[in-house]
Amino acid sequence: MRQTDALVLLSTLAHTSAVVSAQSLPRGVGPEFAKFYEPKAATFTCIGNPSIVLKSSQINDNSCDCSDGSDEPGTAACSYLDPLSPEQPLQGSVTGTTNITSALPGFWCTNEGHIGSYVPFTYVNDGVCDYDLCCDGSEEFAHVGGVKCENRCKAIGKEWRRLEDERKKSKERSAEQRRALVKESRELRQKVESKIASLKQEIKELEVKKIDLQRKFEEVERSERGKVIKDEGGQGGKLGVLLSLAKNRVKELRDTLDKVLDQRDDLQDRVDQLEDILTKLRTEYNPNFNDEGVKAAVKAAEDYAASTASGAKSEEIADADIMKVLEEDGEASGINWAEFTEGDSASDADVVYNLEAYLPGFVRDYIHDKLNLVRIWMIENGILADNPTSGHESRLVTAARELLDSAKNDFSSRTSQLEEQEKDLDKDYGPDDIFRALKGKCVSSDVGEYEYELCWIDRTMQKSKKGHGNTNMGNFKGIDFEEADEEERADGKGLGKGQRMVLRYTDGQGCWNGPNRRTDVWLACAEKDELWRVSESEKCVYKMEVGTPAACDDVHEPGVRTKDEL
Ligand code: MAN
């Protein structure tokens, strides 16, 4: 019988034994059967078969008289009925074997100073001291083969109580650890919840901001598109138009002047040629010929020569001056157009804003709104030119677009953060959300040529100590429960018996010619996180046995309130 079970039995029996004193009972009777063995009665009724009534003296007479063995609680006479014994041939039985079970669980060792316990009837007087069950040695009362089992209950009981005390304290410490984990998990959960609340609020505000910026962007874009022309440099508005016109006009005039100058030079050449002809006519004609036509022509030529000599000429412009005018405009001469076209000169809107600056705010807004509305109305009704394809985007539109884009980015990043947090809140972190506090923390242990590592709610890893790299043994999938059936270990570092939490890690690194690696992480209660064992039951299928306070029951002394509860 395991010690823990025996302890339970002990407490149950303590009550019964108060009614019937153990001393007055026949040998081997456990306290819960005391009621069947009346100390002063003359007869005994078989427990499982009341039709058989024996004399009291037949109890423990080493002869099995009751079919359920209840008349031999203190001998091995009915041990063939013991559940642990092999089936025995029995006279009169149809099957030829016994299938009757014993009414008694075994030989009761009182174990004074320790805890009482049953030993199988087959152990009674078998010449072996079974101290682990019967520390008082009472099951070897016949001293078969001279065996004498001394009573060791004092020492065994003392050691047992020490271990039991330690185990209890460890359990309490583990439970304390667990409570701390639960508290931490609760706080982490609250953090996620408040993060979700603030993200929701932020998203709500960003939604409004986004709509507002979208409206503003469209408004600015439409109002910018409403500007009639854009010059080469991309300047908009009336000033831009004026600038463009002036620049073109100056170019036209300069080109015309250039052409006029060429024409003048041609004409001058021709005048010079004609003057030469006239001079020749005046000086070389024969006055002896009385030709009236020639005389008149000579007279006109002389008058022309006299008039040019008298200097009645219009003011002459120096060629150098004309050439200066014809020079391309630049920083050194003329107008520096670049300053106007590329510089930070004001747009229509800027001018309007400058004027508005002298007005009270509400009037300014009112005028601005009205101007915009009128402009947009004019564009939409085909009165003002819509100029969507011209030039590059204005600074106002760019700024509005950038603000809108940044709000959109903020909105989508916050939305995905919210989704992530909500997913995390819904995730199964085990009973009491306990693995939330452990998430991302790791435990490891050296086994053979590898170091194995478990990272809670994340992954399991096999790390080569010979420098052959790390192998992922699975990624966290979910939490299950399975029945463990292992013997209790002396150091307590084992799964034992009962339902245990099992964390599934799947889809690890592919196995050579096989499936992806996976790990089942079996958990048992312990004071601290510890990776006890790793085994590979089949190729690339691993089992980790891990101790952790997260797997403990929340036990605390009755009546003792924990800090959390206060
Ligand atoms: C490595 C380790 C082993 C595994 C084999 C499979 O050696 O990951 O655990 O069994 O690969 O080939």
Side-chain angles (χ1 to χ4, degrees):
M1 187 180 292
R2 294 221 331 260
Q3 287 179 332
T4 40
D5 296 341
L7 185 68
V8 175
L9 189 61
L10 180 71
S11 58
T12 321
L13 302 183
H15 175 71
T16 325
S17 56
V19 183
V20 183
S21 158
Q23 257 72 24
S24 59
L25 288 170
R27 185 174 47 234
V29 175
E32 77 269 44
F33 293 96
K35 61 185 177 207
F36 298 110
Y37 300 90
E38 281 289 327
K40 289 184 186 120
T43 58
F44 171 73
T45 306
C46 296
I47 296 174
N49 191 349
S51 60
I52 302 174
V53 178
L54 307 172
K55 285 187 273 179
S56 288
S57 58
Q58 285 178 275
I59 295 172
N60 285 339
D61 66 351
N62 212 18
S63 159
C64 197
D65 302 310
C66 292
S67 55
D68 62 0
S70 52
D71 62 315
E72 294 298 319
T75 75
C78 301
S79 61
Y80 58 87
L81 295 174
D82 192 286
L84 296 173
S85 308
E87 288 188 337
Q88 304 287 317
L90 188 71
Q91 254 187 345
S93 158
V94 183
T95 58
T97 58
T98 59
N99 60 358
I100 307 161
T101 49
S102 174
L104 305 170
F107 178 97
W108 175 253
C109 295
T110 313
N111 293 342
E112 200 81 34
H114 185 27
I115 48 170
S117 150
Y118 287 102
V119 294
F121 286 115
T122 46
Y123 291 15
V124 176
N125 292 327
D126 63 351
V128 180
C129 303
D130 299 296
Y131 284 123
D132 54 335
L133 292 171
C134 203
C135 62
D136 61 6
S138 60
E139 97 281 15
E140 293 300 325
F141 59 89
H143 312 302
V144 176
V147 168
K148 210 164 172 247
C149 301
E150 57 172 344
N151 187 334
R152 294 187 182 170
C153 284
K154 202 172 165 204
I156 291 175
K158 192 176 169 200
E159 177 61 7
W160 184 86
R161 281 189 295 278
R162 187 185 69 78
L163 289 173
E164 189 57 19
D165 191 46
E166 197 149 283
R167 196 189 59 80
K168 210 171 113 193
K169 280 184 180 147
S170 164
K171 218 170 165 186
E172 278 163 16
R173 280 196 298 271
S174 304
E176 185 64 40
Q177 295 285 335
R178 188 187 189 277
R179 280 193 292 276
L181 282 177
V182 171
K183 189 164 175 262
E184 199 181 327
S185 299
R186 203 181 301 140
E187 283 163 6
L188 286 170
R189 191 180 177 85
Q190 277 162 2
K191 269 191 193 158
V192 176
E193 282 168 347
S194 57
K195 177 92 189 151
I196 286 177
S198 78
L199 278 171
K200 278 186 175 165
Q201 181 59 30
E202 259 187 276
I203 287 171
K204 220 162 124 185
E205 284 163 14
L206 280 169
E207 182 98 68
V208 174
K209 187 174 171 188
K210 205 168 61 124
I211 292 169
D212 186 45
L213 286 173
Q214 177 74 41
R215 189 184 53 75
K216 279 190 179 141
F217 166 69
E218 283 168 10
E219 196 177 286
V220 171
E221 196 190 36
R222 281 162 80 198
S223 74
E224 287 296 295
R225 273 164 57 204
K227 289 173 182 167
V228 187
I229 309 170
K230 287 190 175 181
D231 71 0
E232 295 150 42
Q235 290 288 314
K238 286 172 194 161
L239 286 182
V241 175
L242 210 58
L243 186 68
S244 178
L245 289 176
K247 192 180 168 189
N248 289 338
R249 192 83 184 117
V250 168
K251 195 172 181 305
E252 264 172 41
L253 288 171
R254 186 173 283 136
D255 290 348
T256 311
L257 179 61
D258 202 17
K259 281 179 200 157
V260 168
L261 211 58
D262 286 347
Q263 264 178 16
R264 184 204 70 172
D265 291 345
D266 283 352
L267 289 171
Q268 189 60 54
D269 285 349
R270 294 180 75 180
V271 168
D272 290 348
Q273 282 174 23
L274 288 172
E275 280 183 351
D276 278 354
I277 293 166
L278 285 177
T279 306
K280 266 186 187 154
L281 179 70
R282 270 195 304 124
T283 54
E284 293 175 15
Y285 87 97
N286 190 351
N288 300 323
F289 289 110
N290 202 11
D291 185 332
E292 281 308 312
V294 172
K295 279 183 183 171
V298 170
K299 170 86 174 76
E302 280 172 348
D303 288 348
Y304 170 78
S307 75
T308 45
S310 71
K313 275 185 187 171
S314 58
E315 196 186 324
E316 269 189 28
I317 305 168
D319 274 9
D321 290 340
I322 295 171
M323 293 318 287
K324 202 154 179 90
V325 171
L326 285 176
E327 267 175 27
E328 276 295 316
D329 289 324
E331 260 182 47
S333 66
I335 299 166
N336 185 356
W337 295 106
E339 217 168 68
F340 288 91
T341 55
E342 287 156 25
D344 208 17
S345 59
S347 70
D348 257 7
D350 294 331
V351 172
V352 171
Y353 281 125
N354 282 342
L355 290 176
E356 285 174 0
Y358 295 97
L359 302 171
F362 70 95
V363 180
R364 193 163 56 223
D365 289 346
Y366 178 79
I367 290 175
H368 179 59
D369 286 352
K370 291 294 162 206
L371 271 175
N372 253 346
L373 283 177
V374 169
R375 178 181 285 136
I376 289 160
W377 180 85
M378 287 170 87
I379 294 169
E380 284 168 357
N381 288 283
I383 298 166
L384 258 184
D386 188 3
N387 198 18
T389 53
S390 75
H392 57 261
E393 200 172 70
S394 82
R395 281 178 296 120
L396 280 178
V397 176
T398 306
R401 185 193 295 284
E402 279 170 1
L403 279 176
L404 176 61
D405 286 349
S406 135
K408 277 180 178 170
N409 286 343
D410 281 357
F411 180 82
S412 67
S413 106
R414 296 293 185 282
T415 307
S416 55
Q417 276 177 33
L418 176 65
E419 273 168 23
E420 218 171 89
Q421 297 291 328
E422 282 180 330
K423 220 165 112 192
D424 184 67
L425 204 63
D426 286 346
K427 194 168 173 171
D428 182 9
Y429 279 105
D432 292 327
D433 226 17
I434 197 143
F435 292 109
R436 195 175 283 280
L438 289 176
K439 186 184 175 185
K441 289 181 186 158
C442 304
V443 275
S444 61
S445 170
D446 279 4
V447 183
E449 58 178 298
Y450 300 108
E451 181 198 347
Y452 287 91
E453 186 179 64
L454 158 72
C455 291
W456 300 102
I457 319 294
D458 187 8
R459 52 156 182 71
T460 50
M461 195 68 95
Q462 187 186 51
K463 298 176 171 178
S464 168
K465 288 198 272 185
K466 293 180 179 166
H468 296 151
N470 298 348
T471 305
N472 181 316
M473 297 159 63
N475 300 305
F476 178 70
K477 183 80 195 310
I479 302 170
D480 266 346
F481 290 88
E482 269 196 69
E483 206 65 33
D485 188 15
E486 288 180 13
E487 278 310 314
E488 207 81 57
R489 289 179 188 254
D491 60 3
K493 295 181 177 184
L495 298 177
K497 290 182 179 10
Q499 203 186 53
R500 299 284 176 262
M501 229 190 296
V502 182
L503 310 182
R504 310 273 187 215
Y505 288 72
T506 59
D507 289 327
Q509 201 165 309
C511 195
W512 175 254
N513 276 343
N516 285 3
R517 285 171 173 77
R518 65 183 168 89
T519 315
D520 285 341
V521 180
W522 286 68
L523 305 180
C525 174
E527 268 185 62
K528 59 179 172 66
D529 291 348
E530 203 176 353
L531 177 47
W532 290 329
R533 273 169 296 281
V534 182
S535 52
E536 194 174 346
S537 54
E538 53 182 281
K539 211 174 171 191
C540 296
V541 177
Y542 305 88
K543 176 181 183 181
M544 284 182 173
E545 291 172 51
V546 179
T548 171
C552 297
D553 297 324
D554 187 7
V555 284
H556 49 85
E557 294 298 282
V560 177
R561 293 170 73 200
T562 62
K563 268 187 261 161
D564 276 0
E565 292 168 327
L566 293 174

